Amino acid sequence: MRFGRSTPAVAALSLLASLGGMMSTAHADDTDPEALVNALQSVFGEHAGKRRGHANGFCVKGSFTPTDEAKTLSKAPHLSGKGPWPVVGRFSMGGGNPEAPNTQKDNARGLALHIDVGGGNVTDMVMISAPVFVAQTPAKFLELLQTVATKDKEKIGAFFKANPASTNQGTWLKARPLPASYATVSYFGVHTFTLTNAEGKSQIIKWKLVPKGGEVGLTDDEAKTKAPDFYKPELAERLAKGPAEFELTAILGQEGDALNDPTAFWPEERKSVTLGSLTISALEDDKTCDAGIFDPTNVVDGIEGPKGDGIFSLRSPAYAISFGRRTQ
């Protein structure tokens, strides 16, 4: 059985050690991952010791327990075993601003997870509070960042007019209330994955985490009363009363779905299967999360990432470069 990387720190170090080879590897459009990291810095600035993306965030811990149905879709240990499996996670705001306000409606919230599958091995999941990403390809993402860095409204407007798929995420977020808590919003995987069970049957899916207590948002007037950094104290108060719980579901792909375009929506009424329960039980020392990388390409036997999705394949080398810079 192929397991995830041994620990977050080892994962990051192994990525950095092989970075030279990754940099020369052809991606879907040969975009340089270092250029992407540089472009993020051009937009948000360089902040010592901070991530280049999702810089504003904090660490939590908990566990994952699979449903009996999960093993019918995947032989991955955390989906086919009994559990509970220990989890370290990180809630965050999108972008590279470490002071990004929690009250910004059109900024995607993030939830990244390390799931301990035993033997010192982990597998990762990375999700955001929108079902789509902001660019179809690495080249388009780089162009978007470089255009935003100019702060030229005409150029920025022209980019979005020429690339309407890049407006999907912002439009989706603006149409919904500001989440009242990191614990009361759904999180989506923007990439497709293939799950394979012990009998060799495969199913294309997208991840979705749904809060068990339901989605809860704030009105615009309520949001105006909140401090820019209200999410962490809100969650600490919430967890003091009991855990925050989510259902992990697999949205089932169908013939004709866009498999390699992270800006493409799947129909909201699509059938899904509940794979398990994620329980967030307490805050964790941020050093635990900062010791490594949350990398969605770090999967185990029974889970396979998309082929031909350039944004997905570029994540590991870009994250490794960011890790190297923030730990210098």
Side-chain angles (χ1 to χ4, degrees):
M1 176 177 286
R2 176 169 60 88
F3 287 95
R5 301 187 185 106
S6 55
T7 67
V10 170
L13 292 173
S14 66
L15 281 170
L16 289 168
S18 61
L19 191 55
M22 287 180 171
M23 291 288 288
S24 61
T25 300
H27 297 279
D29 54 20
D30 294 327
T31 298
D32 183 346
E34 189 161 22
L36 274 175
V37 177
N38 291 339
L40 280 165
Q41 289 182 187
S42 295
V43 174
F44 298 105
E46 186 172 356
H47 305 280
K50 300 294 184 180
R51 288 168 168 80
R52 271 48 184 180
H54 287 265
N56 180 356
F58 57 87
C59 201
V60 293
K61 63 182 177 181
S63 62
F64 175 77
T65 303
T67 62
D68 290 339
E69 195 172 10
K71 63 186 176 184
T72 67
L73 287 180
S74 176
K75 59 185 175 182
H78 61 295
L79 297 177
S80 59
K82 289 185 178 180
W85 305 89
V87 170
V88 170
R90 185 174 183 270
F91 288 110
S92 63
M93 298 293 295
N97 177 10
E99 303 299 327
N102 298 159
T103 51
Q104 185 180 355
K105 181 186 284 191
D106 62 350
N107 194 356
R109 281 78 186 145
L111 176 53
L113 304 172
H114 292 310
I115 303 174
D116 186 341
V117 294
N121 299 292
V122 298
T123 186
D124 296 349
M125 301 180 74
V126 175
M127 288 168 282
I128 59 174
S129 61
V132 289
F133 190 57
V134 295
Q136 293 174 317
T137 66
K140 286 298 180 184
F141 189 32
L142 179 59
E143 183 183 354
L144 170 60
L145 292 171
Q146 291 173 335
T147 303
V148 171
T150 69
K151 300 182 180 179
D152 186 317
K153 291 184 179 180
E154 289 188 5
K155 290 182 179 179
I156 295 170
F159 173 86
F160 284 116
K161 185 176 181 180
N163 300 277
S166 288
T167 68
N168 288 347
Q169 185 186 104
T171 299
W172 198 91
L173 291 168
K174 290 175 185 177
R176 286 156 177 78
L178 182 84
S181 168
Y182 276 135
T184 63
V185 63
S186 293
Y187 297 89
F188 303 81
V190 300
H191 303 290
T192 61
F193 287 83
T194 299
L195 303 186
T196 303
N197 65 18
E199 287 72 44
K201 183 180 178 181
S202 294
Q203 170 68 53
I204 292 174
I205 62 99
K206 283 189 176 183
W207 306 117
K208 183 179 180 182
L209 276 169
V210 182
K212 288 191 177 182
E215 295 187 356
V216 180
L218 302 175
T219 66
D220 291 345
D221 286 340
E222 288 172 332
K224 291 175 183 177
T225 69
K226 297 296 184 181
D229 57 351
F230 76 96
Y231 276 154
K232 187 172 183 178
E234 187 282 333
L235 189 66
E237 182 178 350
R238 179 184 295 268
L239 295 179
K241 300 174 184 177
E245 296 182 304
F246 297 83
E247 282 188 348
L248 176 65
T249 64
I251 304 172
L252 305 183
Q254 294 182 4
E255 186 176 352
D257 285 338
L259 303 182
N260 300 316
D261 180 359
T263 67
F265 290 103
W266 281 10
E268 289 190 28
E269 66 276 10
R270 183 59 58 79
K271 181 181 177 181
S272 63
V273 175
T274 301
L275 299 179
S277 296
L278 172 68
T279 299
I280 303 298
S281 56
L283 300 182
E284 176 62 282
D285 191 325
D286 285 337
K287 292 179 181 179
T288 302
C289 288
D290 293 343
I293 298 169
F294 293 93
D295 182 352
T297 73
N298 178 32
V299 294
V300 291
D301 196 20
I303 303 174
E304 185 178 5
K307 294 180 175 67
D309 182 339
I311 294 291
F312 181 80
S313 65
L314 204 66
R315 286 184 182 270
S316 279
Y319 289 177
I321 292 167
S322 175
F323 179 83
R325 293 184 184 184
R326 70 179 165 89
T327 55
Q328 285 178 350

